[in-house]
Structures are given as structure tokens and as C-alpha cells.
Amino acid sequence: MAQNPRKGKNALRRVMITALSTVLVAAGGTAFAEIVSTQPASTPSFNGPVYAVAYGGDTVYVGGDFTTASDGGRIAARNRLAAFDARTGALRDWQPAADANVRALAVDGGVVYAAGDFDTINGESRDAVAGIDGASGALTPLRHTVLGQPNAIAAGNGRVYLGGRITGVDGAPRANLAAFDAATGALDPNWKPTTDDTVNALAVTPERVYVGGGFHRTNDVRSTLRLSAVDPATGALDRGFAPKPVSQVFALAAHADGVYAALGGRGGRAVSYTREGQTRWTRVFDGDAQAIALLDDTIYVGGHFDKACTTTNNGVRGVCTDGSEARGKLAAVDREGNLLGWAPQANGVAGTRQLAASPRLGAVSAVGDFTVVGGVIRKRYVEFHGVSPRLEATPAVSGPVPAGGNVAAYNFDTTIADGTFDDGSGHGHLLRAVTRNGGAPRLVPHDAGHALGFPAKCAGDACPRLILQAADTQELNPQTRPLRYGASVLLSPAETGRGENILQKGHANVGSTGGQYKLQVDGLSGKPSCGLSDKNGTVVHVARSRISVADGKWHTLECRRTGPTLAILVDDRLESVTAVPATLSVDTNQPFTVGGKGVGQNNDQFHGTLDDVWVKVG
């Protein structure tokens, strides 16, 4: 990071950066969200449908109705089950063989749990459900006779949960749901909730097992239509969760504040439900949503749709009546329900059948019946990579960061007569307060000097607004040159919002020119991000931290653009890197702002405390 303009804390260090392809298309005021690349990674192809996918560490496991996998031109026998390296796409030597369809997978504690239509695996009797060692492929003691067809399997809380159209296990009655002890494989005699029709999806948390499908009652309670929650240990209905999906539920993804559901019906829907079952938002598509997964603050949706509707209205056969955006079998939505620009475009009729996400790898996998994704051949499986862990970084730029050289620096310790804040770089780019509704600057003691406090969180047009603004100057336009900028930030969990600007020059709105560079804190999770957009376009390239800074402690943030890369550092640690065009140029006549983009109602107001804001060009 560049020399701190007041405290001079930083010693020489070396930063390793690797170029990756995390790109977000967003309108100017929209909060940045973590999102994987639209370009498919190198992965195996399969000669038949793939129905199931799950991550286990650095390995991806898939199941379906295939008999071979193609890896870099090499064809290998894989009978309905396969595994490969999540980073490179190379097939693992893991090849248990099922004699019929594998419809669902879950991974827990080094064991791969499979459910489907099979009678045997590796020639041994395993009726519809099995546990398989994730390294050797050997079978575990999980062995039962299941009457019916399982559709879903999930693991957690020391159990393996099974759902489908099931009437019994080992002669014991079960109504579409069952559970097994993960350690012994024994049928759980106490966990036996019931539904009156098919279960398609399960999602497990420590407090709940969410159940989705085409049923009308859970535990014979009438108000539990298509989506319900039961106790993970007893199976008792959780009456505190009472959603009312408008159509059949095909897939679920749980999160701390509720659950996301993929629905069919007239067109398809992705819906966010609170823990009480209230609908937060709904995204509508022109075909069934069959798969859903959560990675950081982005919800990925798959199905056999071709378009995402711009409103919640659709008509006959799901046709969007108020406009649409092309989204072939795959789409992404932020935590507020906004459709994101991620659009890899897959082909096929059935499309995407299941999705899986790996927070550890920052990756998303999709399986189904497609054969082309993003214009390249990807037969029935595709993976999209995001930001690699820091330990995977390889040197691209390194060396000591030179001290000084800032074109703007503000420590908020000194003001001049009219109340503006002095520019410690010596370039004379004074910051002047722009306020609305009484949003006056507030000096806060910090170290031997002061920091600047911003207005508290508030809803409505009457809320206090405050930004600091420097006049437009060519010195603050990096064009294609190297660029570094940053600030020290103090932010509590209660001060986060949808998006809070720390500093910004330029805009990325449709119709704007000149480009943009920006540092902000995204969403309630409080993760900082760096953004760059070109003077001739509205694509915002984003490097986003995978850790939050909303913990009530001071943190130093730095954005660094060097040639074809944009990186974000938190407390001198490289957090993520994204690829940017080497020709990307920021050359805007917009003013430089701190704390927000303006003083209007939706100004991305910062609500915490800032110190040591700086910009270095060249």
C-alpha cells in the first residue's frame, strides 16, 4: 500500500497477484456483488445426463445416467458416478459404478452420499441410497431397502436425510422422508416427518431441515403447502416457518436468514423467504427454475428458461409480458433480488438440473442436459471459477511499494478557513463538505489526530446526507496508468447497508462517459470491494474481499490497478484479484467524492468513520 499520508506505518512489502476473471455488469448506483466468471473453466464432459453435483474439498462429485467421461480428449469409463479436480478439471481415479440413475448427491465428513434408482454399486447391493468413501470409492455400511424413488439427499447434524416419493425403508413406513445415522448407517427410528406428496428438495441447517416439493401437507398440517421446515432431530413441524409458494418447489438453498427456493409453474421463479416464511423478493423466468445455489451474496439460478422477466408478470407458457433479459438456463441475482448481468448462456431443453457452490474455492458448478455454455462445448457439466484463495496466487507483479507520490491525501487533521479539508499531498485538491438535511462533518479522535464520522443509518428522503467533494482535475484521472487508492475504515455491523461509497471518481451509469474508479463496502455483510469501469463502457470490473471489515475495528483498505489486474488488499493482505482489460482507461470530468456519490436519496451513503484517504497515479 502507498505510504500512509499521516502516520507512515507501512514498511516495504511484496504483493503477489494472479489475474482471474471475476466481472460484474452493473448500473452505476448498484452495489457490487461477488460473482463468478461467465467463461467456463476446463472440465470433463459426459455422454449422458448429469443430475447431481456436490463439492468435497478440492473435488467435484457428479452423478447421473452417463457411462463415460471425456477428459482432455481421453475417454474414461465412469458408470453414473465420477469425481475430478475442482481446480484443473482432471478426472480423479474414483470410479464406483452404479447400475442405474444417480439423482442426488451430498458430501459430509469425507463420505459421498448418493440417492437414485440404482440397486447395486460396485456390484454390491445398495437399494436407492448409499454411502461411498470420497477418496477410495469403497462403500460404507449405509445399506437399506427403500420402497419408492428418492429425489433428494442432504447431510448434517450427524444424519443423512432422504426425500422423494417414498413409502417405506426396511419395511418401516415412511411418507416421503427418512433419515439415517451418519456414523452407523442405521435408519433413524425417531425422525419420520410426513408429506402427502413428493419431496424434491432438502436443505439442512443446525436448527431446521427445509423440505420442498409438490406436497400439500407436512405432518398432516394443512398450511404447509410445497415448502416447510421440520426439526433436524425430531422431525416435528416448525410452525414458525409458514411460506406459501405458488407452485412446486424443485430446489432449495438455506442461508442464515431463511431459504432460497427454485420453483416451477407458469414460468419459473426464484424466491427469497425469511425465517418466518415471508417473501422478500421474487424473480420470474420464462421456464421452470430447477436449481439454486448461494455463493457469498450472489444467488445462482438454473433451469430450462431462456429469459429472465424484468417484472414478476408473465403470461401463457411463462412468456414475460413486461420485457425480459436473455438468460439461457443460468442466471444470477443479488441478495436484494436484483437481476445481475451474469449470463453465460447454455443450450438445451431441460437445461440446468442442479447447481452447487464452493465458498472455499469461490466456484459454481452446473449440471444438466446442455452441451454448449458460453459459446464453448461443455457437455452436461460446467464450472465457473471466481477468486482463488491467496495461497494459490502466483507472482504477476511484485516489489516494494514506493513511498509518497500521492496525488491526493486527506487525514482530516487540518482544515482551512472556510472549513474545507486540506490535501496533504501538496497538490491542492481540497475536499469541501456537501450536505443535506443537516449531515454535517463530525470529527472523531483517532490516534494522534482526527478521523471523520458520517451520518448514521436512516431510511427516507429526510435522512442526513454528507459527502466530501474535490473539484474535477486531470491529475486524478489515471487513464491507463497504474492506480492505487485507499482509506482507513471503522465500521460496525449496525452501520452496514446495501452499498456504501468510501471514495469514487466517475460513474458507470448507462449514458455516462469517462469511466470510474471506486472503493465501497458492499451489503449487510460489510465486505469491501474495488471497482473499475472504462471510459467507453458500463462494465464494472470488481475485486471484492472475501472477509468483512464491519467488526467495529479500524482496517486499512487498498485498491490497486496494475496493467491487466485489479486487486483489493485489507490490512496489507491480498484478498482478491480480477482481470481488467489492459486498455481500460478512466478519464472522467466528474468530481472526486468521499463518503457517497452525491446527496440525493440513493447516494450510497457511508455510515462509518474514515481516515487517511489517498490516491496515487502512476
Side-chain angles (χ1 to χ4, degrees):
M1 188 168 70
Q3 179 81 13
N4 182 302
R6 173 160 59 89
K7 303 178 180 68
K9 297 177 181 176
N10 299 318
L12 298 183
R13 57 184 172 78
R14 305 177 73 88
V15 177
M16 299 196 309
I17 296 179
T18 180
L20 297 167
S21 53
T22 303
V23 176
L24 173 67
V25 180
T30 302
F32 298 150
E34 181 83 30
I35 198 161
V36 294
S37 172
T38 57
Q39 297 302 309
S42 177
T43 52
S45 291
F46 298 88
N47 70 336
V50 182
Y51 298 133
V53 59
Y55 281 92
D58 294 344
T59 300
V60 178
Y61 299 92
V62 295
D65 194 24
F66 51 84
T67 56
T68 64
S70 176
D71 173 16
R74 178 178 67 94
I75 297 177
R78 292 292 188 273
N79 288 298
R80 302 177 181 90
L81 287 161
F84 45 92
D85 189 303
R87 301 180 189 275
T88 68
L91 278 171
R92 305 273 197 211
D93 188 23
W94 186 85
Q95 41 188 312
D99 67 342
N101 293 345
V102 174
R103 296 186 178 275
L105 293 173
V107 180
D108 187 52
V111 177
V112 179
Y113 297 101
D117 304 332
F118 50 83
D119 295 314
T120 67
I121 292 183
N122 294 342
E124 298 183 38
S125 176
R126 289 294 187 275
D127 181 14
V129 63
I132 309 165
D133 187 277
S136 69
L139 295 175
T140 73
L142 182 67
R143 177 176 177 176
H144 298 277
T145 299
V146 179
L147 188 61
Q149 177 184 296
N151 295 325
I153 195 165
N157 307 305
R159 294 174 176 81
V160 181
Y161 300 94
L162 191 69
R165 193 171 185 84
I166 300 166
T167 57
V169 178
D170 299 336
R174 289 293 185 272
N176 304 312
L177 291 162
F180 310 94
D181 186 289
T184 66
L187 177 68
D188 188 328
N190 301 314
W191 198 86
K192 44 187 179 182
T194 65
T195 66
D196 65 346
D197 208 336
T198 305
V199 172
N200 296 324
L202 299 169
V204 177
T205 74
E207 299 85 19
R208 288 172 167 172
V209 176
Y210 290 100
V211 181
F215 52 85
H216 299 84
R217 298 187 182 192
T218 305
N219 291 358
D220 205 31
V221 174
R222 186 184 299 274
S223 61
T224 55
L225 180 71
R226 303 185 184 102
L227 178 58
S228 59
V230 297
D231 187 276
T234 68
L237 180 67
D238 188 334
R239 293 177 181 267
F241 179 70
K244 291 179 173 54
V246 297
S247 55
Q248 184 171 190
V249 175
F250 287 116
L252 296 170
H255 62 95
D257 300 323
V259 67
Y260 298 105
L263 279 60
R266 189 178 72 178
R269 284 167 166 76
V271 185
S272 173
Y273 295 102
T274 67
R275 286 184 56 83
E276 295 72 36
Q278 299 300 310
T279 300
R280 283 197 186 91
W281 51 257
T282 299
R283 292 297 327 179
V284 175
F285 303 88
D286 69 343
D288 287 348
Q290 302 174 145
I292 198 160
L294 174 66
L295 179 61
D296 291 330
D297 289 331
T298 301
I299 301 92
Y300 295 88
V301 186
H304 62 75
F305 51 80
D306 294 308
K307 296 177 181 179
C309 302
T310 54
T311 71
T312 56
N313 298 323
N314 61 359
V316 178
R317 297 181 181 176
V319 173
C320 302
T321 56
D322 299 329
S324 63
E325 299 281 346
R327 295 293 185 273
K329 323 304 178 190
L330 292 162
V333 181
D334 70 18
R335 287 287 296 269
E336 285 75 41
N338 300 302
L339 182 69
L340 299 176
W342 188 76
Q345 305 292 52
N347 69 345
V349 177
T352 300
R353 294 182 181 272
Q354 196 174 107
L355 290 164
S358 170
R360 180 174 182 269
L361 302 174
V364 172
S365 285
V367 298
D369 291 312
F370 48 78
T371 57
V372 176
V373 182
V376 297
I377 294 175
R378 291 292 183 271
K379 292 183 178 179
R380 304 170 184 93
Y381 173 81
V382 65
E383 185 177 40
F384 304 97
H385 289 169
V387 179
S388 293
R390 289 193 298 277
L391 59 85
E392 296 299 312
T394 55
V397 295
S398 61
V401 177
N406 295 316
V407 295
Y410 309 98
N411 60 22
F412 308 114
D413 290 342
T414 60
T415 62
I416 59 177
D418 64 355
T420 59
F421 291 97
D422 199 6
D423 174 9
S425 74
H427 288 256
H429 306 312
L430 304 180
L431 280 180
R432 293 178 171 84
V434 181
T435 68
R436 183 180 176 188
N437 300 334
R442 176 172 50 88
L443 292 178
V444 178
H446 182 212
D447 290 344
H450 294 96
L452 189 68
F454 285 80
K457 285 179 68 173
C458 174
D461 192 44
C463 293
R465 316 281 184 209
L466 166 66
I467 68 166
L468 304 180
Q469 190 174 88
D472 172 49
T473 173
Q474 193 61 28
E475 281 189 316
L476 291 172
N477 285 332
Q479 299 175 332
T480 60
R481 291 172 290 173
L483 171 68
R484 297 167 185 165
Y485 53 97
S488 294
V489 176
L490 176 66
L491 195 67
S492 74
E495 293 172 329
T496 61
R498 179 176 173 182
E500 299 188 15
N501 282 13
I502 296 172
L503 67 85
Q504 173 177 331
K505 192 172 196 302
H507 294 285
N509 307 70
V510 176
S512 296
T513 59
Q516 176 193 69
Y517 59 87
K518 186 175 186 179
L519 169 61
Q520 76 173 35
V521 177
D522 302 331
L524 298 177
S525 61
K527 297 176 182 178
S529 66
C530 304
L532 278 180
S533 66
D534 188 72
K535 65 180 181 180
N536 297 317
T538 58
V539 175
V540 181
H541 304 269
V542 179
R544 185 168 183 269
S545 171
R546 304 188 75 81
I547 65 170
S548 171
V549 295
D551 57 4
K553 300 177 182 178
W554 280 100
H555 295 278
T556 58
L557 308 181
E558 178 187 352
C559 301
R560 179 181 295 187
R561 185 267 175 95
T562 307
T565 63
L566 172 66
I568 183 167
L569 298 92
V570 178
D571 297 327
D572 294 340
R573 296 188 310 271
L574 178 65
E575 285 297 327
S576 76
V577 183
T578 188
V580 299
T583 57
L584 185 147
S585 177
V586 180
D587 192 0
T588 172
N589 60 8
Q590 296 294 320
F592 176 78
T593 63
V594 174
K597 62 184 180 183
V599 291
Q601 183 171 357
N602 298 311
N603 70 327
D604 290 347
Q605 178 70 62
F606 184 74
H607 297 297
T609 306
L610 293 180
D611 204 353
D612 300 324
V613 177
W614 57 275
V615 179
K616 176 180 172 61
V617 176

